[in-house]
Amino acid sequence: RRRAESTTASSSIRAPLPTMRRNRPRSIFVTVGTTKFDSLIEAISDPQFLTHISRTDCGAYASLTVQYGRGSVIPFAATTSNDVGCKEVETDLCGVAGNAGAVDKKDVHGIISCDAYQFKPSLRQDMEDADLILSHAGAGSIMEGMELCTAANGSRSKNGGRQRKRLVVVTNAALMHGHQSELADALEARGHLYVVRDPKELLQEDTLKRIEAFDQVPFEGGDGGADFAALVDAHFGFEP
């Protein structure tokens, strides 16, 4: 399975993860895989989005990590202290081994800590760490996101009903003639993820509140125990 990969290595500077995950700040991870999805990157870089996600009724998120792929838009590039009242802004295209095209930006709005990169050998750790995954509609990313949410939510339900991990898929109508959108819609109908059909919807407070209220259904490998490949084949009418 093809993941976001890099031939040029560099890295953002990131603080170590807290040892007690239950006490860590809530975080969002945005991924576009190997594709170009500039409209999504523009939306999550918008001061309006950054302000909303810090609010309690929209999730009270304190950290945002973005994998922006082959796009021409660099996350947060248009965000300045005048836009959102930043206490500290750092943009670092650095050269430490690990990530490609890394951007490190801290204390957006004095609340949100942000960093971004183009590619990594694996996105799994960032997906595992996030409370909310905002993903493009690629089948591989959807599958991994659903698996991680199912694993995390199963353990959290035994731990005092802690806030759930969620997968939100943002569809890109410019790709694959809408086939990715069809797959995302089919999985949303089963309750396995939440679909945003236009990145600009993420700028609306009501959308973020609905995401926060979304109760994701665990994914057990497809209808009736079938695996993900069988679910995809059935949706598109492929013969086994």
Side-chain angles (χ1 to χ4, degrees):
R1 181 173 64 206
R2 187 181 183 188
R3 301 295 300 159
E5 297 177 348
S6 168
T7 55
T8 304
S10 57
S11 174
S12 61
I13 301 171
R14 305 181 64 180
L17 292 172
T19 56
M20 295 293 291
R21 286 181 59 84
R22 71 177 62 189
N23 295 325
R24 65 176 174 82
R26 299 195 76 207
S27 63
I28 298 175
F29 177 58
V30 180
T31 175
V32 305
T34 58
T35 66
K36 178 179 179 179
F37 200 169
D38 286 347
S39 58
L40 175 57
I41 301 306
E42 288 173 348
I44 59 87
S45 300
D46 191 289
Q48 191 170 347
F49 174 78
L50 297 170
T51 299
H52 285 331
I53 62 175
S54 69
R55 295 180 46 150
T56 301
D57 55 357
C58 293
Y61 294 99
S63 175
L64 174 63
T65 300
V66 181
Q67 182 267 316
Y68 62 98
R70 303 186 186 280
S72 58
V73 175
I74 297 176
F76 324 118
T79 302
T80 68
S81 58
N82 290 331
D83 290 330
V84 290
C86 303
K87 292 182 179 178
E88 178 184 2
V89 176
E90 294 182 5
T91 300
D92 182 18
L93 299 176
C94 53
V96 182
N99 313 333
V103 177
D104 187 40
K105 188 179 184 67
K106 300 178 180 178
D107 290 341
V108 177
H109 203 263
I111 299 173
I112 304 296
S113 174
C114 304
D115 78 295
Y117 56 86
Q118 284 183 293
F119 303 109
K120 270 186 183 180
S122 172
L123 306 181
R124 189 173 182 88
Q125 189 63 58
D126 285 325
M127 294 179 78
E128 286 181 348
D129 290 343
D131 296 281
L132 174 63
I133 301 169
L134 289 177
S135 174
H136 69 121
S141 295
I142 288 176
M143 176 63 184
E144 191 163 11
M146 290 191 303
E147 288 180 340
L148 291 173
C149 287
T150 296
N153 293 337
S155 62
R156 289 180 183 190
S157 63
K158 301 174 184 177
N159 245 324
R162 286 157 52 201
Q163 293 166 310
R164 297 175 64 86
K165 185 183 187 81
R166 297 176 178 89
L167 172 64
V168 173
V169 171
V170 185
T171 57
N172 187 348
L175 295 178
M176 295 183 65
H177 307 290
H179 290 171
Q180 288 187 339
S181 177
E182 292 175 9
L183 176 60
D185 289 344
L187 291 166
E188 183 186 46
R190 293 164 171 82
H192 298 316
L193 50 82
Y194 185 100
V195 175
V196 171
R197 292 166 180 81
D198 183 341
K200 291 181 180 178
E201 293 179 25
L202 294 171
L203 305 182
Q204 301 172 11
E205 187 176 354
D206 286 347
T207 298
L208 298 173
K209 288 180 179 179
R210 286 193 296 270
I211 290 171
E212 188 61 18
F214 175 55
D215 191 13
Q216 187 161 328
V217 175
F219 177 74
E220 305 295 346
D223 291 349
D227 62 15
F228 183 71
L231 179 62
V232 173
D233 288 347
H235 176 68
F236 290 113
F238 299 140
E239 293 294 332

